[in-house]
Every structure is written in structure tokens, then in C-alpha cells.
Amino acid sequence: MDIEEYGIVAEQVLDAAPDAMLIVNEASTIVAVNNAVERLFGYTRSELISKSIMTLIPQRFHSRHEHNVASFIEDPIPRHMGNGKWLFAMRKDGVEFPVEISLSPIKTNKDLLVICAIRDVTERVRVEKELEKQTEELRHSNADLEQFAYIASHDLQEPLRSIASFAQLIERRYKGKLDNDADDFIEFIVEGATRMQKLINDLLSYSRISINDKQLNATDCNSVLRDVLRNLELAIEDSDGQISYDTLPMVAADRSQVVQLFQNLIGNALKFRKADVTPHVKILTAEEGDYIRFTFEDNGIGIGEQYKDRIFTLFQRLHGRNEYDGTGIGLAICKKIVETHGGYISLSSELGKGTTFTFTLPKP
């Protein structure tokens, strides 16, 4: 195959490419283009050959392009242009559009040539902007919902506190002095008010969970666990529970939220224990990229397969209140804490054989 034949094959290969492809020399002069360039930019091949690449670049980017050319000639290696920012090209009719550009150098005896692959990303930019808009709207919606939950819960506290106080006062003063039905009614009021207070407190805790960079401090999980074990001292003593762990790592986190996370998981393990079996919680850790993976294993009653997908949802209770106390918000709080720290949480469980919670928190 002679040089002319090589040239014909090269031109055919260039024209077969789905993206707009052109070749420029060190002087930024266009020496070859493919059919896709003509379709994308609206120029004929003859209108572009021997013209400056500036023809296809909006005027406001010319000085930046000159800098990029000098940088590329100094270090001619394949590269993707833009560094995360959209680049713009200009059609013959003056319309600008966003593009991705990849550069590949070709060294010849006389010159350095550069193959430029240009892709129109107008649709991708439109989709990304739409996603950004929807994400921002969702963020505002979530913020509004959290604010509403906080305000509603906070404003409910005072009247509910009054109801609970007067119901308890009636119970102390009149219990046994009225008929049995009256005693039952009063007891229902007291229990209902107490349960509602717990529910509101948990909702307040859930609505307050948020994160910003100032709160992500280096947190010693050994210190966190010591606080949690002190908080759960009575529950551990009553159940004769055992908590086993090695030295725990540091994480980047809001310390108070990690305390709440650990306390909810260990507290659940102690609460949902099997009868006549000493509850045992085993804590394991391992590195996972930029995160620390925590595993909390227990030997409790376990969770049925049908409940695994919704166990982290608000108000999900798998047992009646007569069996186990609670509001059904604890694991939803755990999930929100982990996710606001950029991690994930999951569980594996078998009914009657215990539950293992796995979650990640960022390294300092």
C-alpha cells in the first residue's frame, strides 16, 4: 500500500467515525475534517480546510484556547478537554452549543498534528440541568418538610404536656373512687398522652438531623461507645447484655448523631432479644475506601424477610405495643444519620437467628 492509498484509507476511517473529527497542526490550522464535522457545524469541507480552528470557537474563548494550545504543544499527550466544565463550539450560523473534546497528538517528521474528537452534548446538558433543578426543588421540599415537622412537633408539645399532666392528676386523685370503666378510661388517656409525647420527641429528633461541613469533626468512636454504654446501663443490667468490640476507629461525623446511631442499634438489640437467651451485640469495623464499615451483630429474635425492605421507614412497627415499646422511628433515624454523612446502611437477618446491621461513616 503506497502513501496515497494510506491517505485514502485514513480519510475513510475519519469519515466513518460517529463523532465530529478534525485534524489541526501546531499553528491551529485545520488540515482535515470528516463528514460529521460538516453536519455538526454547517460548513463544507472546503470552507474549513486551511482555516484556523478559531473559526469553530466563540470569540470569548479565543484567548483561553491560545493558552490551551501552548500547554498542549509543551506536553502533547492524549487528554480530555474541559476539566469538568462544559466547552462551547460555534456553528456557521453563529449558534453556540456545548461540546466534549478529546485530543490525540500525532508526531510527524515536520509537524505535530492533533486529532480533535468533538461531541455535541446539548441533550446531556439539558438533562443534567433538569436533574439539578429537580434536586434543588427536592432539597427545598425536604427542608420545608423538616421545618414543618419541627414546628408542628414543637407546638404540639405544650398542649400535650398539659393533657398528660392533668390526666395523671385525675388518675392519682380519682382512681378507685369511680367505677371500673372510669379507671380504664383514665388509664387509656394517660397511656395515649405518654405514647404521643414519645412519638413527638422522636419526630423532633428525626427532623433535627442535618449535616454541614462545620459539624463533620474527627470523632473517636471509642468515646462514643463509652457514652452509649453509660446511657444504656440500666437496660444492659436488666437484660444481662454483653457488648463485645475491639478498639474502634475515628470517623468524620457529628458526634451527637453517632451517639444516637449507636444507641438506637444497641438498644434495639437489647429490646428485641430472645427469651431466656443472654443478648449479645458484637461490633466489628473495617476500612472501605474513604469510609469505615461498621457491623453490629446481635443474637436476637431477627426480622422476617418480608419486612427487610421497609424496616427503615418511619412508623414501621413489627410487633404490638404490648410486646415491645417504641414508636417505630428509631431505625428511620439511623438511616437518616448515616445517609446525611454520605454512607449507606443495610441489614441481614433471619427470623429467630439474630440481625446484622452494616453501615458506613466517612474517615476523618
Side-chain angles (χ1 to χ4, degrees):
M1 186 180 292
D2 58 26
I3 294 177
E4 184 177 351
E5 288 176 316
Y6 272 116
I8 293 172
V9 171
E11 186 174 328
Q12 290 174 339
V13 170
L14 206 62
D15 278 336
D19 291 329
M21 307 280 289
L22 52 83
I23 300 176
V24 299
N25 60 21
E26 288 188 35
S28 293
T29 300
I30 300 170
V31 298
V33 301
N34 69 351
N35 291 332
V37 169
E38 295 180 292
R39 292 193 300 269
L40 182 61
F41 288 93
Y43 289 97
T44 63
R45 196 167 304 211
S46 60
E47 288 177 308
L48 289 176
I49 300 298
S50 299
K51 296 294 192 300
S52 170
I53 190 68
M54 296 293 190
T55 305
L56 306 178
I57 299 174
Q59 177 68 38
R60 66 182 187 280
F61 296 120
H62 283 192
S63 60
R64 184 193 301 177
H65 175 74
E66 291 172 355
H67 170 77
N68 289 339
V69 168
S71 174
F72 187 82
I73 292 174
E74 185 178 334
D75 184 21
I77 59 173
R79 67 183 67 181
H80 188 77
M81 299 290 289
N83 297 323
K85 298 179 180 178
W86 295 119
L87 301 176
F88 286 87
M90 185 173 66
R91 295 189 175 91
K92 184 178 180 179
D93 59 9
V95 174
E96 297 181 12
F97 60 101
V99 293
E100 281 184 343
I101 300 177
S102 296
L103 305 179
S104 301
I106 302 175
K107 290 184 179 180
T108 68
N109 293 332
K110 296 182 179 180
D111 201 356
L112 172 68
L113 300 178
V114 182
I115 298 178
C116 304
I118 305 171
R119 177 172 295 178
D120 183 354
V121 292
T122 301
E123 180 60 18
R124 189 194 306 174
V125 172
R126 186 195 67 77
V127 171
E128 289 189 3
K129 286 183 177 180
E130 184 64 26
L131 286 174
E132 288 175 3
K133 179 182 177 182
Q134 291 176 359
T135 300
E136 184 65 15
E137 290 175 351
L138 184 60
R139 189 185 68 80
H140 283 300
S141 177
N142 286 340
D144 291 342
L145 285 173
E146 289 176 1
Q147 183 68 8
F148 171 77
Y150 177 81
I151 293 173
S153 300
H154 186 272
D155 290 348
L156 282 173
Q157 288 277 46
E158 187 55 39
L160 188 60
R161 193 178 293 115
S162 297
I163 293 171
S165 297
F166 281 110
Q168 290 166 355
L169 181 62
I170 292 172
E171 183 180 40
R172 288 195 300 269
R173 182 171 297 181
Y174 296 106
K175 188 173 183 178
K177 296 180 180 179
L178 303 173
D179 58 28
N180 291 335
D181 285 345
D183 288 345
D184 289 341
F185 297 157
I186 294 171
E187 185 177 348
F188 293 153
I189 294 172
V190 172
E191 288 181 355
T194 302
R195 191 164 60 247
M196 182 62 77
Q197 283 182 313
K198 289 181 181 179
L199 182 61
I200 289 175
N201 287 332
D202 283 349
L203 275 173
L204 281 171
S205 297
Y206 185 84
S207 67
R208 286 170 177 155
I209 296 171
S210 61
I211 276 295
N212 58 53
D213 292 339
K214 294 181 180 179
Q215 294 174 305
L216 291 177
N217 300 314
T219 301
D220 182 2
C221 290
N222 298 287
S223 170
V224 167
L225 187 57
R226 284 195 295 270
D227 287 353
V228 169
L229 296 182
R230 278 195 295 267
N231 295 341
L232 295 174
E233 187 173 359
L234 289 178
I236 294 172
E237 287 182 0
D238 289 344
S239 63
D240 198 25
Q242 298 176 3
I243 316 296
S244 61
Y245 56 95
D246 294 324
T247 301
L248 301 181
M250 302 283 288
V251 296
D254 180 319
R255 188 181 188 281
S256 65
Q257 292 186 16
V258 180
V259 169
Q260 190 172 20
L261 172 64
F262 281 26
Q263 187 163 314
N264 284 1
L265 293 176
I266 295 175
N268 270 5
L270 298 175
K271 181 196 298 185
F272 298 106
R273 60 185 184 272
K274 289 186 285 190
D276 302 322
V277 175
T278 299
H280 183 203
V281 182
K282 186 177 182 181
I283 302 175
L284 303 171
T285 62
E287 292 191 9
E288 188 175 297
D290 293 331
Y291 287 77
I292 301 295
R293 184 177 70 248
F294 292 82
T295 304
F296 282 51
E297 300 177 359
D298 69 50
N299 61 343
I301 61 175
I303 298 171
E305 185 70 29
Q306 67 271 32
Y307 300 115
K308 289 182 181 178
D309 292 338
R310 53 192 180 95
I311 194 66
F312 294 107
T313 306
L314 280 170
F315 308 123
Q316 287 299 313
R317 293 180 51 86
L318 309 186
H319 307 277
R321 293 188 181 88
N322 294 333
E323 297 177 89
Y324 298 98
D325 189 25
T327 59
I329 298 179
L331 290 179
I333 288 175
C334 291
K335 184 174 187 288
K336 190 174 182 183
I337 289 173
V338 171
E339 290 183 349
T340 54
H341 284 79
Y344 69 85
I345 186 169
S346 62
L347 71 88
S348 60
S349 183
E350 188 174 347
L351 201 59
K353 295 186 178 181
T355 302
T356 298
F357 286 94
T358 301
F359 62 90
T360 56
L361 293 173
K363 294 178 181 178

